[in-house]
Amino acid sequence: MPSHTVCELRDVSFTYPGAAAERGTKVRPALSGITLSIKDGEWVALLGSNGSGKSTLAKHMNALLVPTQGDCIVYGMSTSDADHVPAIRNAVAMVFQNPENQIVGTTVEEDTAFGPENQGLPPGDIARRVNDALAATGLREKRQSPVYTLSGGEKQRLAVAGALALDSSCLVLDEPTAMLDPQGRAQLLAVLAELHRGGKTLVSITHRLEEIIHCDRAIVLVRGTVAWEGAVPELFQSTEALREWGIFIPPLAALWKDLHARGITPLPSVPSLPEMVQALCP
Amino acid sequence: MKFLDNLTFGQYVPSESPIHHLDPRCKIACVLVLLTSIFMVRHTTSFIGWGLLLLVVTSFSRLPLRLVVKTAKPVLILALFTASIHIFFTKGTPVFSLGIITVTREGLRMAAFTALRLLFLVLFASFLTLTTKPMELADGLERLFSPLTRFGFPAHELAMMMTIALRFIPTLLDETDRIMKAQLARGAYFDKGSLWKRLKAFLPVLIPLFIIVFQRAEDLSTAMEARCYRGGKGRTRMHPLTWRTSDTIALLGLSLVTALLLIADRTLLP
Ligand SMILES: Nc1ncnc2c1ncn2[C@@H]1O[C@H](COP(=O)(O)OP(=O)(O)O)[C@@H](O)[C@H]1O
Ligand SMILES: [Mg+2]
């Protein structure tokens, strides 16, 4: 099967319109000269410190923002063409950082149905989408619960369910684990891994390295430009660069790196915790 | 301690009652019938009949009576206030006097009448929000007003605004609570001093709250766009409203009962 391109950015620059107001200061574009492409079925991690432009880039992928310069092409359609916007939004769904600010419905079921209702589907199809999305995110028992009774983790999963119900082929997640405790984070990552196995294209934004172990590829943004792009295991090797980019290195990766530097190489790439334990204490 | 916990709204209480299952349009119509009828009542004794009707409706709704009565608590003060005005300022046959204040028989009757009318208005109206999901209520209003869209009336937009407002009430209450606690920790008092002082203490709560609200509104509109929202046009619903025979029966039955109560009010009572 040939791998199709989901999203392609060609020399994209973007400056926020309001940003020019500061007197005299030169306006720094939020994104400058970004060229990248995302292939069908890939799980790409988008890394970068705060303010590096991750959210801005994500919003380009479903035409919430359009480039001030360059082109952003999603499934062959330019996001700058207003006629394509509905089709692009059907194809690329988005989960934002704060779940509270993207939940529209007053109950779990109503909110999950919001997207497919906007897409104008018949009631039966909407119900099916809602069922599937709630099953995938483990929210079936909470179906009728009012949103304000949900925990932070459940709200985050509801935000994911709302995006899944759009049945898009690509899902972009902007720091979906930011508000979660370690357990909620693990749950959500398991949901994502399952979606990835099902063939969905995923772009997950994070500044936590430990969350990208399962990703196929990583892109690092620094001050609005692509500073690094490549396979995840290689990224873990460049500890100094990571520190310079403002990305926190998880202890496990640091340990692996140090062992590696001393010639102790139990495992070829950065492992998960159980793998590491298994390798060190067989 | 939560400061805003004692703020009770007539918020939706889930149940599988016949009233819960009625079409929201039917329930809105029923409430309108009830409210106009209560305004037409002339005699205080008639409220015995309305009280019985309230009990019947409560039992149909399968909600505990205590809960229904609780929703009327905030208006109790208003009812007592209007009642006391009537007690003190209505002239007529004196019952007893306390110094310059003379309480009259007419005054007592007027006080009971206005207080009861206000209470029954609120009690019956609260069934609408207690038994109808906010989203359904918004749907019902949208559909009822949709004929007016031809004249530029924003039926869908208003319904959506209502849904979002209802969705965010608990969130904003939490937020207010959080800010108030933060101000308390810095030595603010919300329950001491003159009214003016208390209002002034509230200002540092309102300002951050407004900022948060605007930030939320902006995020939410972006999220709604990302979730393919393009206004009411071409939007479908998972549970489209359906008017059933039971809705017709409920509306006709209620209209009949209120008509009978009104006839009794006009003819049987002096
Ligand atoms: N709405 C906005 N208006 C003006 N500037 C913004 C806006 N949103 C973000 N920025 C600026 O754009 C840059 C990139 O921000 P963002 O994409 O949110 O970064 P990240 O998601 O990586 O933290 C930052 O310098 C930020 O201050
Ligand atoms: Mg961000």
Side-chain angles (χ1 to χ4, degrees):
Chain A
M1 201 179 94
S3 71
H4 298 283
T5 306
V6 172
C7 176
E8 191 174 1
L9 277 76
R10 297 183 194 139
D11 196 26
V12 166
S13 295
F14 179 83
T15 312
Y16 279 98
E22 296 291 307
R23 77 192 131 82
T25 53
K26 200 166 160 282
V27 180
R28 189 168 62 76
L31 299 177
S32 52
I34 295 211
T35 299
L36 58 86
S37 80
I38 288 158
K39 300 267 179 297
D40 201 18
E42 247 188 332
W43 187 355
V44 177
L46 194 55
L47 291 150
S49 61
N50 271 336
S52 57
K54 303 182 299 292
S55 299
T56 310
L57 178 56
K59 284 179 183 163
H60 276 77
M61 291 181 187
N62 72 350
L64 289 169
L65 295 174
V66 291
T68 16
Q69 240 176 66
D71 293 301
C72 178
I73 313 291
V74 177
Y75 289 103
M77 300 172 284
S78 167
T79 57
S80 307
D81 186 343
D83 294 341
H84 289 151
V85 170
I88 290 172
R89 302 238 167 102
N90 286 343
V92 180
M94 179 124 179
V95 177
F96 297 89
Q97 198 164 343
N98 186 346
E100 194 77 65
N101 294 358
Q102 55 192 305
I103 297 172
V104 184
T106 47
T107 66
V108 168
E109 180 190 77
E110 279 170 2
D111 183 70
T112 314
F114 181 73
E117 287 181 340
N118 291 331
Q119 291 173 318
L121 296 182
D125 292 2
I126 299 175
R128 206 166 313 119
R129 293 254 190 106
V130 169
N131 285 338
D132 293 349
L134 292 181
T137 49
L139 283 173
R140 248 196 308 218
E141 282 82 55
K142 295 273 171 180
R143 195 181 175 113
Q144 300 297 341
S145 305
V147 170
Y148 65 86
T149 62
L150 301 182
S151 69
E154 286 165 346
K155 279 184 186 160
Q156 192 71 70
R157 276 186 283 153
L158 176 56
V160 175
L164 285 182
L166 290 168
D167 201 27
S168 60
S169 34
C170 176
L171 186 60
V172 180
L173 304 107
D174 190 351
E175 302 198 34
T177 58
M179 303 251 176
L180 301 181
D181 54 13
Q183 195 193 348
R185 214 171 278 152
Q187 272 175 356
L188 188 63
L189 287 175
V191 170
L192 294 184
E194 186 58 42
L195 290 171
H196 181 54
R197 271 194 292 281
K200 207 183 269 292
T201 311
L202 296 175
V203 177
S204 47
I205 296 175
T206 179
H207 54 242
R208 290 168 185 280
L209 269 187
E210 64 266 37
E211 286 177 10
I212 68 164
I213 293 169
H214 302 296
C215 296
D216 304 316
R217 197 153 64 92
I219 298 171
V220 179
L221 284 187
V222 175
R223 270 177 269 111
T225 57
V226 176
W228 191 90
E229 190 182 345
V232 171
E234 286 166 39
L235 182 65
F236 281 106
Q237 315 238 11
S238 27
T239 331
E240 282 73 38
L242 284 170
R243 213 163 273 140
E244 195 180 304
W245 296 329
I247 298 167
F248 174 73
I249 301 140
L252 193 59
L255 174 65
W256 177 82
K257 178 88 195 327
D258 283 356
L259 291 174
H260 216 78
R262 291 171 192 213
I264 309 164
T265 48
L267 290 157
S269 69
V270 175
S272 67
L273 184 58
E275 282 168 356
M276 186 66 124
V277 171
Q278 182 62 39
L280 293 178
C281 325
Chain B
M1 171 180 112
K2 262 193 147 184
F3 285 101
L4 300 156
D5 257 0
N6 46 7
L7 263 180
T8 39
F9 294 94
Q11 275 217 3
Y12 177 68
V13 181
S15 168
E16 291 293 312
S17 85
I19 295 190
H20 282 73
H21 285 302
L22 288 176
D23 188 293
R25 286 167 294 179
C26 168
K27 285 188 263 191
I28 294 167
C30 285
V31 164
L32 289 179
V33 167
L34 283 166
L35 298 193
T36 40
S37 316
I38 290 172
F39 264 112
M40 281 152 61
V41 169
R42 283 190 185 159
H43 299 285
T44 316
T45 22
S46 276
F47 284 117
I48 297 171
W50 292 93
L52 290 175
L53 181 60
L54 186 80
L55 291 179
V56 172
V57 174
T58 311
S59 79
F60 267 119
S61 74
R62 297 201 193 134
L63 296 174
L65 184 63
R66 197 169 33 82
L67 188 87
V68 178
V69 172
K70 214 175 86 182
T71 58
K73 231 162 125 188
V75 285
L76 211 60
I77 297 163
L78 190 65
L80 288 176
F81 178 71
T82 42
S84 59
I85 286 180
H86 283 290
I87 289 182
F88 297 134
F89 297 105
T90 311
K91 299 210 173 349
T93 336
V95 183
F96 63 89
S97 328
L98 269 172
I100 51 160
I101 299 163
T102 307
V103 174
T104 64
R105 181 184 300 244
E106 285 77 5
L108 285 174
R109 189 174 294 152
M110 268 312 279
F113 180 75
T114 44
L116 281 170
R117 186 163 72 179
L118 193 60
L119 280 179
F120 275 104
L121 285 174
V122 173
L123 284 169
F124 278 116
S126 69
F127 275 107
L128 190 58
T129 47
L130 282 171
T131 66
T132 318
K133 284 185 202 149
M135 213 79 150
E136 277 181 353
L137 196 57
D139 268 358
L141 288 169
E142 181 179 345
R143 287 284 292 275
L144 281 176
F145 284 112
S146 63
L148 296 179
T149 43
R150 246 177 304 161
F151 309 109
F153 184 79
H156 168 74
E157 288 75 8
L158 286 177
M160 189 50 96
M161 277 164 67
M162 186 180 138
T163 316
I164 290 171
L166 286 163
R167 150 76 180 85
F168 279 96
I169 283 173
T171 311
L172 292 180
L173 283 181
D174 272 356
E175 209 85 66
T176 315
D177 204 62
R178 208 168 48 77
I179 300 170
M180 279 173 81
K181 276 183 190 143
Q183 303 288 4
L184 269 181
R186 292 176 198 151
Y189 290 104
F190 298 107
D191 49 0
K192 286 209 182 83
S194 65
L195 187 67
W196 173 239
K197 263 197 181 148
R198 285 193 228 179
L199 282 177
K200 260 198 351 209
F202 225 81
L203 206 63
V205 175
L206 286 183
I207 292 168
L209 193 64
F210 270 117
I211 293 169
I212 289 167
V213 166
F214 282 114
Q215 184 56 54
R216 276 197 193 290
E218 187 159 335
D219 283 2
L220 187 69
S221 72
T222 310
M224 284 169 74
E225 258 189 76
R227 296 177 72 181
C228 303
Y229 181 68
R230 288 181 285 271
K233 235 184 182 167
R235 187 171 144 80
T236 52
R237 305 311 309 271
M238 176 164 60
H239 302 301
L241 298 182
T242 41
W243 187 278
R244 296 193 198 84
T245 333
S246 53
D247 295 300
T248 315
I249 294 170
L251 184 55
L252 287 180
L254 186 84
S255 305
L256 187 69
V257 173
T258 50
L260 288 175
L261 281 170
L262 280 180
I263 290 169
D265 181 66
R266 296 295 158 95
T267 57
L268 300 182
L269 295 166

